[in-house]
């Protein structure tokens, strides 16, 4: 099958080609897929896309006109694809539901420890020959209260790691896990979680319900000095309100692997450009903010799993098998 792979980087090529074994004709494009770039999909049965490709109704309409019959996401989240439009145009959508929940959960922990022990600052200091400890005082995780929003695959692993640190773990998720409760996780309301937690980790998807879930209202309720870690999706936090909360000192630390306006920034080398985003420029100046550009998933193990599942999804479609990883609108 001819597949147009969008937003492709050197590592996508390397891993996908290794697992493809010449089964499909993969053509790699650097371009992001959106309504301005759909012409590249002409003549392809499938497009393979990632988190910042933008498949709105117009893009999907054009894909259908170009003969595309399958959208293969190389990620778990599918908030960037208008699923009702795809269904209406009879284009199937498949994804990689789990590639390495450990990778993302461990990255969230890396952000916590870097911020809590100021590792990012120490690293720069030592490189300049400054071995002073002034202003590097951190805090222990032991006996802190960690609030986990979303206890799916990633959130559950994150809960277990934090229990291992000796933290009290509170969780909010419309679907509670008995297994986690047995391990000591305490489910509560979202309001109770934000009022009690010293560290809040966002591990939920971006949905209409979670869009700007953390806004001024919530920042007003958190404890002074709370740390927030977002490895879910950028728009779960209202960035402008987070900046205000950082300025006032109410929000003590912010670790972000995802960012509301990441689409035009992340995964690119802009080191020789003027960054066209005032909010990220402001965030970069705060000493208590640590940003990584959506690299939570980025481990060797996860890249192998993404490539293997994506190739399987393409082959299942081509050979008419049941699409195990199909994304569909929930029928009520
Ligand atoms: P999952 O589907 O296993 O779990 C998501 C959980 O969030 C579910 O238990 C669901 O009930 C819960 N949830 C839904 N709405 C909620 C709400 N309003 N409040 C609280 N919880 C809610 O998904 P998984 O694999 O754990 O991934 C979670 C999210 O992490 C993904 O949707 C994606 O946005 C993000 N992600 C980020 C990556 C990165 O590299 N930073 C990589 C992979 C995923």
């Amino acid at each position: 099958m001819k597949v147009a792979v969008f937003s492709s980087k050197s590592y996508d090529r390397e891993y996908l080609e290794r697992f493809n074994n010449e089964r499909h004709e993969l053509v790699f494009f650097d371009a992001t897929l959106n309504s301005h770039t759909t012409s590249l999909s002409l003549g392809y049965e499938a497009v393979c896309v990632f988190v910042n490709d933008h498949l709105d109704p117009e893009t999907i309409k054009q894909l259908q006109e170009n003969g595309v019959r399958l959208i293969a996401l190389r990620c778990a989240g599918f908030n960037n694809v208008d699923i009702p439009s795809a269904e209406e145009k009879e284009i199937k959508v498949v994804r990689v539901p789990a590639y390495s929940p450990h990778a993302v959960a461990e990255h969230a922990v890396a952000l916590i420890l870097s911020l809590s022990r100021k590792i990012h600052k120490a690293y720069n200091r030592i490189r300049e020959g400054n071995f002073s400890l002034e202003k590097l005082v951190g805090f222990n995780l032991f006996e802190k209260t960690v609030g986990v929003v979303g206890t799916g695959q990633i959130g559950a692993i994150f809960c277990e790691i934090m229990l291992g640190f000796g933290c009290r773990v509170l969780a909010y998720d419309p679907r509670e896990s008995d297994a986690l409760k047995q391990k000591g996780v305490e489910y509560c309301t979202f309001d109770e979680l934000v009022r009690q937690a010293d560290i809040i980790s966002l591990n939920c998807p971006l949905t209409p319900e979670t869009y700007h879930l953390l806004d001024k209202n919530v920042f007003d309720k958190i404890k002074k000095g709370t740390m927030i870690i977002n490895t879910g999706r950028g728009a779960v936090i209202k960035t402008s309100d987070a900046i205000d909360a950082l300025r006032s000192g109410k929000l003590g630390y912010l670790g972000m692997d995802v960012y509301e306006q990441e689409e035009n920034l992340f995964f690119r080398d802009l080191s020789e450009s003027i960054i066209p985003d005032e909010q990220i420029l402001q965030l970069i100046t705060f000493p208590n903010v640590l940003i990584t550009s959506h690299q939570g998933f980025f481990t060797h193990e996860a890249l192998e799993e993404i490539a293997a599942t994506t190739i399987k999804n393409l082959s299942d479609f081509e050979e008419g098998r049941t699409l195990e990883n199909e994304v569909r609108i929930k029928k009520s």
Side-chain angles (χ1 to χ4, degrees), residues 189-241:
T189 64
F190 178 69
D191 197 65
E192 285 164 345
L193 182 149
V194 299
R195 285 180 191 280
Q196 292 183 46
D198 300 298
I199 299 170
I200 298 172
S201 176
L202 302 174
N203 299 106
C204 56
L206 178 63
T207 63
E209 293 76 41
T210 62
Y211 177 77
H212 286 181
L213 182 67
L214 268 65
D215 61 3
K216 182 181 183 309
N217 267 330
V218 171
F219 293 125
D220 284 346
K221 289 178 193 163
I222 61 174
K223 294 205 276 194
K224 187 168 164 40
T226 296
M227 177 188 290
I228 292 177
I229 301 294
N230 189 7
T231 58
R233 281 290 181 265
V236 177
I237 297 181
K238 186 171 179 189
T239 312
S240 54
D241 289 358

Side-chain angles (χ1 to χ4, degrees), residues 19 29 39 58 60 68 74 100 109 123 152 154 221 235 271 282 297 309 311 318 320 324-325:
F19 281 83
F29 295 103
S39 58
E58 179 55 29
I60 289 173
V68 171
R74 334 191 263 287
S100 177
V109 179
Y123 173 78
I154 296 169
K221 289 178 193 163
S271 55
Q282 259 179 312
F297 75 100
T309 307
I311 299 300
E318 187 180 39
E324 219 178 280
N325 300 317

Side-chain angles (χ1 to χ4, degrees), residues 40-41 46 75 96 109 133 166 187 193 197-198 202 216 218 234-235 258 270 275 301 307 309 311 317 325 328 331:
L40 293 169
S41 69
C75 52
V96 183
V109 179
L133 291 185
Y187 279 92
L193 182 149
D198 300 298
L202 302 174
K216 182 181 183 309
V218 171
V258 286
L270 300 177
I275 308 283
E301 293 81 354
T309 307
I311 299 300
F317 178 80
N325 300 317
R328 308 184 59 162
K331 300 266 187 299

